Amino acid sequence: MSDQPLVTVEAIGRKCPIPIIMLAGRIREVPIGSVIAVTADDPAARTDIPSWCRMKMQEFVAEVPLSRGSAFHIRRMY
């Protein structure tokens, strides 16, 4: 299984919960077992995205720092 995201949801400049709403709307674009990334610079994303993953039983893989914000990698589990 690759940890490289197949889809990146660009949410830089958006306030939570918008990045999570965007993620929820697009996670089905990647096959089960694959990774989707969300880029966000809202500090709340750092806690909100892993919390959403636990709630929705998706796997939070990593936070990758970017020049602005971070890319949050999520593995689709179902």
Side-chain angles (χ1 to χ4, degrees), residues 22-73:
M22 293 170 74
L23 166 63
R26 295 194 58 196
I27 194 162
R28 286 179 185 81
E29 291 178 26
V30 301
I32 291 167
S34 294
V35 173
I36 185 169
V38 181
T39 61
D41 59 355
D42 182 347
R46 183 165 282 146
T47 52
D48 289 0
I49 292 173
S51 295
W52 180 87
C53 289
R54 283 191 300 276
M55 224 166 49
K56 297 294 184 180
M57 293 178 291
Q58 306 292 358
E59 181 189 346
F60 181 73
V61 178
E63 177 183 348
V64 180
L66 302 172
S67 57
R68 180 176 174 195
S70 295
F72 299 89
H73 292 197

